[in-house]
Amino acid sequence: MKELFANRVLANDTSDLDEIFKNSVNPENISFAGGFPDSRRFPDADLKQAYQTAIDQQGPAIFQYSATEGPQNLRQKLADRMQSHAGVTATADNIMLTQGGQQAIDLVAKLLLNHGDAMVVEGPTYMGALAAFDTYEPTYYEVPVDQNGMNIRALRKTLQAHPEIKLIYTIPDFHNPTGTTLSAKRRQAMVALANQYDVIILEDSPYRDLRYSGKSVPAIKHYDTEGRVIFISSFSKILSPALRTGWIVADQPIMSELIGLKSAIDVQSPNVTLQAINSYLDQHDIDAHIATINAAYRLKRDAMLAALDRYFPKNITYTRPAGGFFIWVTLPSDIDAKQLLETKVLPQAHVAYVPAACQFASRTVKNGFRLNFTSLDPVTITAGIKRLGALLQANQAVAPALPLKTAIQF
Amino acid sequence: MKELFANRVLANDTSDLDEIFKNSVNPENISFAGGFPDSRRFPDADLKQAYQTAIDQQGPAIFQYSATEGPQNLRQKLADRMQSHAGVTATADNIMLTQGGQQAIDLVAKLLLNHGDAMVVEGPTYMGALAAFDTYEPTYYEVPVDQNGMNIRALRKTLQAHPEIKLIYTIPDFHNPTGTTLSAKRRQAMVALANQYDVIILEDSPYRDLRYSGKSVPAIKHYDTEGRVIFISSFSKILSPALRTGWIVADQPIMSELIGLKSAIDVQSPNVTLQAINSYLDQHDIDAHIATINAAYRLKRDAMLAALDRYFPKNITYTRPAGGFFIWVTLPSDIDAKQLLETKVLPQAHVAYVPAACQFASRTVKNGFRLNFTSLDPVTITAGIKRLGALLQANQAVAPALPLKTAIQF
């Protein structure tokens, strides 16, 4: 049967991700691997009320087919929010609802990528985005990330060397997996480069509103002068991932093509869900809800950073994110984080993380891993980091004393 | 900007479908163009209750990420239903929930089709399936449909002539757009051909339970001996399209690949929606609900057939479906249904239908159109068909008296 499968399927190996998921759900482990919000922060009673209100107000019509781009009322709210929260001028016509941010990535890939087409991704980047892009079989160019986000000098060199590049995929706010944020200056520079080299920027920003310290930076799309930045975000991290609702902000002619593609993929997103979200936004101050999430997540982040400071060997570095879900750990360059996970961290410390390799399109960088701090409570976070730190200390004692050459610098 | 778009987008023209949608929603027209269920038949109060129950029973956990394939409880119910309603032996592991039947089509296309790969579609076929397949740029072979569904003799010849064919896409039950049903004998023959020529069958059956007369036929998958039939259906026509919930039934290794692809496309379907459907099925007899829909739709179908018998010119033929949503009308071979729609039917009779060409992969057949009878009430159906019939009578009087050579025979 497999001889009938398309090349995109045969070429793809998702076993790494399957393994990570299994480690995440195994209750014997303290798992920092998943990218889950804290279930205790979901406003379940308010969302229940929102479903009721939406169905009561609209009656049977809410259950009929509707427009592919989503209902006008919710699109208008998101357009307003783009202005107030991201500095992006948009009308309801610039907004389309999607099945989470993930579908938005798939749609943009489908819009732009022929087999073999060239694109830029950050190294490291969101592994789910790589899974989506992989099915379009692009040629990846990896640009490193530092403490201010994507390295713009490296981006310029890459665009100069490869004028066939069509797309830059970036996660500028509390980057997955490193937690770093692209500086305002770099955002402007990235748009200028995109204009110069005729490239589309896909700005993936699901963590934007989850800031625990410091000041917000305008979206890359704020600096867009030629309608070539596509902004995507999601209710998954600020309300609930089970709503599977994200949105795309794009100009014409991109938006009309994306609507056509979405129509062919799944006709439209569930109107009942979209109207329930609209009712929730009518009835509640989502920013007040986000503030309560942020207060909780700030404590978790602080607990993890304090435990890292206390329990990790001094030659291991890590990021100090101002928001989002993740901290990135860089190991000495001779340590393969995946091998360490499988041979020691899981069986001995019973802790899980996401090793570096599957988060690089090149798969070549091995000495790092991603830690999630949002899904667990501070006490468990501290206990897990302590166990992991002790194992790293013990492991380091027997590792050869090589000069410190980290593949990724922070 | 368009120079950056992928070939799959540049090659696709969805303006026909956009036009049809506009005609459907224009309140001045009586539109037989859409494929909408009757809004008055949605069990809105029961579905509202189902959302409440699901959220009450599961609490905040219902709003967290969950498994890509969907919850075990709903998959088990669907596996049982496949046995009782379609003669298909399946376990929960053979079922995955999708964003309507449409996403299931996209997933199977993504699993199988490289650029240029060969596949069989019926002529005519569901235009939304063509829109999904088009984005994978396949080579289509069109096999005609007659009163017993896909012509198996023509299918055999096509498979003999083109051994590179990988996929047969068929709508065996109350076919969209012709309303015909594939006979049991042909179902068996199709599976035998698929085995012989190493082809996958995609059995798209969203109308299966909407039978108004005659006896049900087992699914094609009932006859599957080698795990090469993929069955898809949906809650859109039997419960509500706004739930955007369909399902795939497939064997290994197909199912595990489809789960991987779905994960990369949108992670998973909305758990809240899936649990609400599960609660609905716990609390209500969906077959009793379907029986009330069928009673209403039977009256609508009968009203349309009676009006066609009464008002249409005698040289125009049409199908007499035993279920589903659609009747197919065949015009004399010299009449282009699209041209007629645009120049006369819409401006003069204010009636809309879906003309033939966009429902054929080849786009070459023009003398036919699709009528939907489920969304309007019998009085409006009769009035619309009367107007359309009068226009066809008038048009016929001035049309050249060519010999009757219909391109599609029923």
Side-chain angles (χ1 to χ4, degrees), chain A residues 1-10 12 14 21 35-40 42-45 47-48 51-53 55-56 59-67 99-100 102-104 106 109-115 117 126 128 131-132 135-137 165-166 198-200 226-228 236-237 239-244 252-254 257 260-273 375, chain B residues 1-10 12 14 21 35-45 47-48 51-52 55-56 59-67 99-100 102-104 106 109-115 117 126 128 131-132 135-137 165-166 198-200 226-228 236-237 239-244 252-254 257 260-273 375:
Chain A
M1 201 73 63
K2 287 203 172 185
E3 76 283 357
L4 295 172
F5 294 173
N7 298 334
R8 71 178 68 85
V9 173
L10 297 173
N12 260 338
T14 58
F21 183 75
F36 288 20
D38 185 345
S39 293
R40 288 168 311 177
F42 297 140
D44 54 322
L47 285 169
K48 185 179 109 175
Y51 275 98
Q52 286 177 253
T53 305
I55 297 172
D56 283 343
I62 201 174
F63 291 106
Q64 188 54 282
Y65 284 109
S66 52
Q99 290 303 110
Q102 187 71 29
Q103 187 185 53
D106 181 58
K110 199 160 192 169
L111 172 68
L112 298 175
L113 298 175
N114 296 311
H115 179 281
D117 275 357
Y126 165 46
T135 65
Y136 298 92
E137 302 167 277
I165 288 171
K166 288 175 132 183
D198 192 17
V199 173
I200 306 268
E226 299 183 356
R228 59 173 71 248
S236 292
K237 311 302 193 279
L239 204 52
S240 149
L243 301 170
R244 305 303 314 124
Q252 295 300 353
I254 290 172
E257 296 293 350
L261 287 173
K262 162 114 177 133
S263 172
I265 285 176
D266 66 3
V267 185
Q268 59 212 213
S269 283
N271 191 48
V272 191
T273 309
S375 59
Chain B
M1 201 73 62
K2 287 204 172 185
E3 77 283 357
L4 295 172
F5 294 173
N7 298 332
R8 70 178 70 84
V9 173
L10 298 173
N12 260 338
T14 59
F21 183 74
F36 286 19
D38 185 344
S39 293
R40 289 170 309 177
R41 303 288 155 191
F42 295 139
D44 54 321
L47 285 168
K48 185 179 109 175
Y51 275 98
Q52 288 178 249
I55 298 172
D56 283 342
I62 200 173
F63 291 106
Q64 186 55 281
Y65 284 109
S66 52
Q99 291 303 110
Q102 187 72 28
Q103 187 186 52
D106 181 58
K110 199 159 192 170
L111 173 67
L112 297 175
L113 298 176
N114 296 310
H115 180 280
D117 275 357
Y126 165 47
T135 64
Y136 298 92
E137 303 168 277
I165 288 170
K166 288 175 133 183
D198 193 17
V199 172
I200 305 269
E226 300 182 354
R228 58 173 73 250
S236 292
K237 311 302 193 278
L239 204 53
S240 151
L243 302 169
R244 306 304 313 124
Q252 295 300 351
I254 289 172
E257 296 294 351
L261 287 172
K262 163 116 176 132
S263 172
I265 284 176
D266 66 2
V267 185
Q268 60 213 212
S269 283
N271 192 48
V272 191
T273 308
S375 60

Side-chain angles (χ1 to χ4, degrees), chain B residues 253-361:
Chain B
I254 289 172
M255 180 50 83
S256 63
E257 296 294 351
L258 290 173
I259 293 172
L261 287 172
K262 163 116 176 132
S263 172
I265 284 176
D266 66 2
V267 185
Q268 60 213 212
S269 283
N271 192 48
V272 191
T273 308
L274 301 183
Q275 295 293 355
I277 293 172
N278 187 64
S279 288
Y280 175 88
L281 296 174
D282 278 337
Q283 294 168 341
H284 301 279
D285 178 358
I286 192 173
D287 288 313
H289 171 65
I290 293 170
T292 68
I293 300 176
N294 284 351
Y297 288 176
R298 184 182 295 113
L299 294 177
K300 291 164 186 261
R301 176 201 61 175
D302 291 347
M304 186 172 274
L305 285 173
L308 289 167
D309 292 345
R310 181 156 177 199
Y311 298 116
F312 263 38
K314 293 306 162 213
N315 65 334
I316 291 176
T317 60
Y318 37 87
T319 56
R320 305 190 83 88
F325 269 39
F326 304 111
I327 289 171
W328 181 261
V329 175
T330 305
L331 298 169
S333 61
D334 60 314
I335 298 184
D336 179 336
K338 182 164 187 276
Q339 198 181 30
L340 188 72
L341 179 73
E342 289 165 358
T343 59
K344 298 194 174 165
V345 172
L346 270 171
Q348 293 172 20
H350 302 287
V351 169
Y353 54 65
V354 182
C358 61
Q359 300 173 84
F360 284 83

Side-chain angles (χ1 to χ4, degrees), chain A residues 201-215:
Chain A
I201 297 172
L202 176 55
E203 177 179 23
D204 184 9
S205 188
Y207 309 103
R208 180 172 180 81
D209 293 334
L210 304 178
R211 177 174 280 280
Y212 319 134
S213 45
K215 268 193 68 179

Side-chain angles (χ1 to χ4, degrees), chain B residues 242-254:
Chain B
L243 302 169
R244 306 304 313 124
T245 303
W247 66 91
I248 300 186
V249 188
D251 294 280
Q252 295 300 351
I254 289 172

